[in-house]
Amino acid sequence: MAPFDLIVRNADIATVGDRYRGDIGIREGRIVAIAQALPGEAAEVIDAAGRLVTPGGVDGHCHFDQPTSDGSRFADDFFTGTRSAACGGTTTVIPFACQQKGGSLVDAVEDYHRRANGKAVIDYAFHLIVADARPEVLRDELPALVEQGYTSLKVYMTYDDLKLDDRQMIETLAAARRLGAMTMVHAENSDCIAWLTEHLLAAGLTAPRYHASSRPMAVEREATHRAISLAELVDTPILLVHVSGQEAIEQIHWARGRGLPIHAETCPQYMLLSAEDLGIDDSDPMHGARCICSPPPRDKANQKFIWSALSSGLFTIVSSDHAPFSMAGPHGKGVAGEQASFDRIPNGVPGVETRLPLLMSEGVLGGRFDVHRFVELSATSPARLYGLYPRKGTIAVGSDADLVVWDIRPEGEAFTLRHDMLHSACDYTPYEGLSLRAWPALTLSRGRAVWRDGQFQAAPGSGQFLPCARPLAPRGGEPFARWV
Ligand code: DUC
Ligand code: ZN
Ligand code: ZN
């Protein structure tokens, strides 16, 4: 028997800490050897010929086939969503098993497994969404779920069907502390949004661009500060998801200065889109609907703050927050009609496939950060944060053979991003027409080529569910005691 199933030869290997030329030997889906020149035979050899090779991307925030309450439907199920991820170099996704208010978390997880089974083409874990933090859910359901590998949970400070009040947030954070789970926080002040929305609609200001007016930066800043304070009170780390701009960044900077363990995520939409993408006049309302997401894209000055917080190390991870709603059809952006007011347009933009190429092109090749930081933001840190490291998120002996071999174009040979290059079931990309210089030539998922030379080639159901380790040590004692 050949010692390797596959050798990737002459790779320019980049991890968080290293960059070197080498051969990667793969057997049964795992990396079993890395050397300057691997002796021995393999059933297959891929000559990477000096090409950059990075760990497969870990997308720690995306939405596939999640139940909704407004008649809308996510365009991607676990097949099309993971296909799209794979074609853009992502080999692990972590979408959300979402509890319904009044419902059970265990039921949400079971339902979500049914949705994923037989469909995913790359590996996946689940975050939990705790939408109803009843004492019995935190006491009777959450501990067993964490034990079984659902070790991160998201809480919302807005959206009527999902939001927790401060007391419920505190109880959930205290449970996460006891269990060693990571809490992700969607930080926007619900009452501020409701008040602004009511007044905007009453004044007839209903077009998509008023979505941004209904959720200005102060709304996110206040909730970010409150989430940090609640986490400090309970003495547990949190991750602030989809941070959109300067004022939230300042709160995180402030918290870090106080030594608080506050992690932060941002997404390509906050680097590359702005409030202008929601429409600058009201002539084509559906056009602006394409870029409605929450928090909304801010002004162009905020994009600079996002980029510099990526370079400086403030952000822990970059995720896509892939939330695909098609423009056409009855369940997408137009679910409430083409002339619907901004508050009735489903929130979210697609991006699971474009996350890595955009970060490589605009971040690394754009000179904003180096390839090590790229790997950290897109793969290693999300794997660590969610208890998947070192199986996922790095290139090392013993890790899964999840690799991206890059096609990087010289300056002057950029190509244009078009929706028809993509593999999501969503019918548009908000980045249409963007100039890019990087795309994966090959994506390996556990040693299987799932994307190669422009061809997707994986069978539905070939992705595996990944139970996650606890990212934090469970903590005993009463957190209130530190305030006595
Ligand atoms: N905002 C969210 O909170 N979730 C999905 C998409 C979005 O825009
Ligand atoms: Zn969110
Ligand atoms: Zn989201």
Side-chain angles (χ1 to χ4, degrees), residues 61 63 154 156 159 186 241-242 294 321:
H61 184 162
H63 303 268
K154 184 174 178 190
Y156 284 80
Y159 294 130
H186 179 127
V241 293
H242 43 53
S294 292
D321 197 7

Side-chain angles (χ1 to χ4, degrees), residues 155-280:
V155 293
Y156 284 80
M157 299 171 84
T158 189
Y159 294 130
D160 288 343
D161 53 343
L162 298 172
K163 72 181 178 197
L164 303 187
D165 64 23
D166 288 355
R167 177 63 190 263
Q168 293 163 337
M169 290 255 301
I170 291 167
E171 300 292 0
T172 307
L173 287 166
R177 179 184 187 275
R178 280 194 298 278
L179 298 168
M182 177 58 67
T183 307
M184 310 158 75
V185 182
H186 179 127
E188 289 185 293
N189 180 312
S190 184
D191 286 326
C192 295
I193 296 167
W195 180 77
L196 284 165
T197 301
E198 202 176 298
H199 284 279
L200 287 160
L201 297 182
L205 305 175
T206 60
R209 63 194 166 108
Y210 298 109
H211 172 73
S213 315
S214 75
R215 316 169 95 101
M217 199 71 228
V219 165
E220 185 182 345
R221 181 193 68 215
E222 185 280 330
T224 300
H225 185 86
R226 185 155 36 101
I228 290 168
S229 303
L230 300 184
E232 180 183 10
L233 189 82
V234 176
D235 187 22
T236 198
I238 55 169
L239 170 88
L240 290 152
V241 293
H242 43 53
V243 170
S244 73
Q246 178 182 0
E247 295 181 33
I249 289 171
E250 286 167 354
Q251 296 303 311
I252 294 156
H253 193 69
W254 171 84
R256 294 260 179 87
R258 291 166 62 90
L260 299 173
I262 303 297
H263 301 287
E265 169 202 85
T266 193
C267 317
Q269 46 271 40
Y270 305 112
M271 302 162 206
L272 297 167
L273 302 179
S274 77
E276 287 178 18
D277 292 300
L278 301 178
I280 41 182

Side-chain angles (χ1 to χ4, degrees), residues 140-152:
D140 303 336
E141 294 198 85
L142 194 56
L145 288 169
V146 171
E147 188 64 40
Q148 291 159 27
Y150 310 92
T151 62
S152 47

Side-chain angles (χ1 to χ4, degrees), residues 56-62 82 85 89-95 122-125 352 355 378 383 388 391-393 400 402 445 464 466:
V58 177
D59 194 337
H61 184 162
C62 48
T82 56
T90 287
T91 49
T92 304
V93 286
I94 319 182
I122 55 167
D123 296 348
Y124 59 97
V352 74
R355 180 183 68 120
S378 66
L388 291 169
R391 178 172 176 188
K392 301 294 186 186
D400 280 358
D402 289 0
S445 162
Q464 292 179 355
L466 302 164

